Amino acid sequence: MSDPAPDRRIDLAIIGGGINGCGIARDAVGRGYSVWLCEQGDLGGATSSSSTKLLHGGLRYLEHYEFRLVREALIEREVLWGIAPQIVRPLRFILPHRKGMRPAWLLRLGLFIYDHLGGRKLLPGTSRVNLAQGPYGEGLNADLRLGFEYSDCWVEDNRLTILNAQDAAERGADIHVRTRCTEARPLPGGGWRIVARDQETGAEEVVHARMVINAGGPWANAVARDLVQRPPKGSVRQVQGSHIVVPRLYGHDRCFIFQNEDGRIVFTIPYEDRFTLIGTTDRDYPGDPAKVVASEEEIAYLCALVGQYFKRPITPKDVVWSYSGVRPLYDDGSSEAQKATRDYVLELDDAGGAPMLSVFGGKITTYRRLAESALERIEATLGRATGEPAGWTGRQPLPGGGFAPRGFDAEVRKLMSAYSFLTGPEATRLVRFYGTRAAEMLGDARGRADLGRDFGAGLSECEVDYMCRTEWARTAEDILFRRSKLGLQLTPAQIAALEDHLRKDVRQRMTA
């Protein structure tokens, strides 16, 4: 019996819609390759929405002599701020010095290297902070008198994934969410036959691809071993990182990075105006990545660690939300999870004229450079296409990012001028989400009534429908805890109302 004709013939079939899969899709389609991507859940729904939301060089990686990785990440902070200034913003971190921990001279040396290793241009450098005087010692223990302040950046992690997928789709990539790849087998003449099933409708699609990109994240081993049946040489080390959110611990806008006696560090970051984000843990996780949750032990650990630095104890009862993700680190044989490399490794298997490139490890800060490295392998295997040159993704803005890194406030004023019914905080949130595309989302609205139902915290029916239409959102969790964090402000009744609205939308799409 002959093989049924494929629905499409494409260059690249990407399995996995996290930040690495979507980053590779954007770069590849921009360079002229035809791209098809499937994600079994929501885009960025696993690891890529469970980070500490930081674009950082990794100050502690200097202790492990990972200078290339740190330099690459430090450079990328300002590159990503430049192409996505709506979702990236600078942060100032304070590293308090405490006797018995790393000596002050070592901290100064590390921060000097951190300041100069990555060619910093826009972000301010390191300075000393007197915690005994001024606002930054608010609530801290009295023995914390000296600190060192340095720069890194914040990023809305899931939105970064979505923006890469949006740009890829607008350039011609075929993006499928909640679609599981059920078959991937080599074809006799070279290339691959891929079968994918839509998990909402049950519909199947068949594509023939010249090359497969295994960007399965925590599932990369399973994709290579079970689906493709090519056990990889390398492997993923599953490391769990959990975070907690508590009511705001202090009134200023600085973040803290605290050292612990076990060698771990933890961040406290002002979060969504009214809260503080605390994280992260680092421990090996042997279970199903889809079922990872912050354990009671991890929550207690984070509370106790941070509580050592503040006058007021922090307990698990203070936690208003927690989240956890599995980092798919490359297994380099490190004995401790926190010492495992955060660098990425790409493994090419070209057996039988059916090439597969597997992605292991990486971090959100360096996703774009990982994609560029993947494209080098793709071009060497398939030949160069006729599109953008290498490096274009660091020069052309992501959707909504067409303004200067320091032009955020001007965009807010522009939006308020065009839509006079918006308050300052409302306009700020919309620019933070959508950048220059906030006006596209609001359309020709002239008042709040034109935005439809208000589900709470300013989330309108108009905005919900825009997320579903342009950002692949399907569920309340997609909208409230990945695309945004508005779920922290909505009541259970408001969340239920949104879920009901979305169920009706899904039924309408399935019967259309």
Side-chain angles (χ1 to χ4, degrees):
M1 182 176 177
S2 62
D3 192 36
D7 297 314
R8 287 192 64 190
R9 296 182 184 275
I10 43 112
D11 294 320
L12 301 176
I14 301 175
I15 302 173
I19 187 59
N20 290 333
C22 291
I24 293 171
R26 181 194 184 217
D27 199 347
V29 73
R31 295 201 202 190
Y33 295 100
S34 54
V35 173
W36 177 94
L37 178 149
C38 71
E39 162 56 45
Q40 65 180 345
D42 181 27
L43 290 175
T47 305
S48 298
S49 58
S50 302
S51 74
T52 314
K53 327 299 182 192
L54 297 180
L55 298 177
H56 65 130
L59 184 60
R60 67 188 178 91
Y61 305 155
L62 292 175
E63 292 185 323
H64 304 304
Y65 308 109
E66 296 197 67
F67 295 108
R68 187 208 60 78
L69 173 63
V70 175
R71 172 176 166 76
E72 185 174 84
L74 288 172
I75 294 171
E76 282 299 288
R77 295 176 308 178
E78 294 194 6
V79 172
L80 298 180
W81 187 16
I83 65 172
Q86 74 277 42
I87 60 168
V88 177
R89 65 182 186 272
L91 294 176
R92 292 290 280 173
F93 286 81
I94 295 175
L95 173 57
H97 175 254
R98 171 177 272 179
K99 291 182 179 179
M101 299 293 187
R102 297 169 180 86
W105 69 265
L106 182 61
L107 298 182
R108 287 198 298 269
L109 175 61
L111 287 167
F112 178 84
I113 296 172
Y114 201 73
D115 267 352
H116 294 89
L117 188 61
R120 175 180 51 84
K121 297 177 181 178
L122 297 177
L123 296 170
T126 298
S127 60
R128 291 170 62 97
V129 178
N130 184 344
L131 297 174
Q133 299 177 2
Y136 301 142
E138 176 190 344
L140 293 177
N141 287 333
D143 66 324
L144 299 176
R145 306 179 64 84
L146 170 66
F148 300 94
E149 187 178 58
Y150 68 95
S151 293
D152 267 322
C153 288
W154 172 269
V155 65
E156 300 292 342
D157 52 5
N158 184 262
R159 299 205 67 78
L160 182 65
T161 304
I162 295 300
L163 293 182
N164 274 272
Q166 278 185 329
D167 199 43
E170 290 171 7
R171 294 174 183 270
D174 198 2
I175 309 291
H176 295 265
V177 301
R178 290 177 168 78
T179 300
R180 181 184 294 274
C181 182
T182 58
E183 181 183 324
R185 63 177 175 82
L187 291 167
W192 295 88
R193 179 181 187 268
I194 307 292
V195 181
R197 179 180 295 116
D198 187 308
Q199 298 192 96
E200 291 179 342
T201 66
E204 285 194 339
E205 180 178 10
V206 179
V207 298
H208 284 185
R210 296 171 65 195
M211 187 173 184
V212 165
I213 308 298
N214 171 13
W219 291 272
N221 282 349
V223 169
R225 182 187 62 244
D226 302 332
L227 179 64
V228 182
Q229 297 183 352
R230 288 187 184 177
K233 297 176 184 177
S235 63
V236 167
R237 180 172 185 170
Q238 295 189 166
V239 174
Q240 181 177 4
S242 296
H243 300 76
I244 58 176
V245 176
V246 300
R248 190 152 188 172
L249 296 177
Y250 44 83
H252 58 78
D253 64 354
R254 285 342 191 224
C255 312
F256 286 102
I257 173 173
F258 294 122
Q259 309 170 74
N260 196 33
E261 293 177 355
D262 62 4
R264 290 283 304 126
I265 57 94
V266 67
F267 297 104
T268 66
I269 305 170
Y271 190 66
E272 298 296 312
D273 297 326
R274 297 160 43 197
F275 306 98
T276 297
L277 173 66
I278 300 172
T280 179
T281 59
D282 252 333
R283 67 177 190 177
D284 288 308
Y285 179 77
D288 181 351
K291 297 179 180 178
V292 66
V293 295
S295 67
E296 292 182 3
E297 177 188 356
E298 289 177 298
I299 292 172
Y301 169 84
L302 291 172
C303 289
L305 195 159
V306 173
Q308 296 175 18
Y309 291 86
F310 287 90
K311 295 174 183 176
R312 184 179 69 81
I314 301 167
T315 73
K317 292 182 180 179
D318 296 316
V319 176
V320 298
W321 184 49
S322 65
Y323 64 90
S324 190
V326 175
R327 302 186 193 95
L329 304 184
Y330 181 71
D331 192 352
D332 60 0
S334 296
S335 59
E336 299 177 50
Q338 61 262 36
K339 293 181 180 178
T341 181
R342 266 56 176 175
D343 211 345
Y344 51 84
V345 175
L346 305 177
E347 182 180 308
L348 179 64
D349 184 330
D350 199 13
M356 177 182 70
L357 184 69
S358 291
V359 178
F360 299 103
K363 49 184 293 195
I364 195 166
T365 308
T366 53
Y367 86 89
R368 198 192 61 82
R369 292 300 305 274
L370 182 153
E372 290 183 335
S373 296
L375 263 294
E376 290 179 10
R377 299 291 191 92
I378 292 166
E379 289 181 339
T381 304
L382 302 184
R384 294 190 65 178
T386 55
E388 299 280 359
W392 75 271
T393 58
R395 295 187 294 270
Q396 297 191 23
L398 285 164
F403 58 94
R406 294 193 174 111
F408 184 88
D409 291 342
E411 286 299 312
V412 172
R413 291 192 295 270
K414 186 186 302 182
L415 190 67
M416 292 180 67
S417 176
Y419 298 90
S420 58
F421 59 89
L422 293 176
T423 65
E426 289 170 337
T428 298
R429 181 182 73 80
L430 293 180
V431 174
R432 183 64 67 200
F433 280 17
Y434 308 108
T436 59
R437 294 196 174 187
E440 177 183 312
M441 186 276 291
L442 292 169
D444 58 1
R446 290 295 172 261
R448 296 182 190 281
D450 296 327
L451 301 180
R453 182 175 183 178
D454 186 342
F455 292 99
L459 180 66
S460 68
E461 185 177 353
C462 173
E463 185 176 358
V464 167
D465 293 348
Y466 181 84
M467 286 190 186
C468 293
R469 187 172 67 254
T470 69
E471 297 186 357
W472 296 275
R474 295 288 184 271
T475 70
E477 186 175 6
D478 296 347
I479 291 170
L480 297 178
F481 292 100
R482 284 194 280 271
R483 308 296 187 279
S484 76
K485 302 302 177 288
L486 295 175
L488 293 172
Q489 302 180 44
L490 268 63
T491 67
Q494 289 171 323
I495 294 174
L498 175 59
E499 289 173 339
D500 183 61
H501 173 80
L502 293 169
R503 279 193 296 268
K504 292 177 181 177
D505 178 69
V506 170
R507 287 196 297 269
Q508 289 172 357
R509 286 189 292 103
M510 293 181 67
T511 58

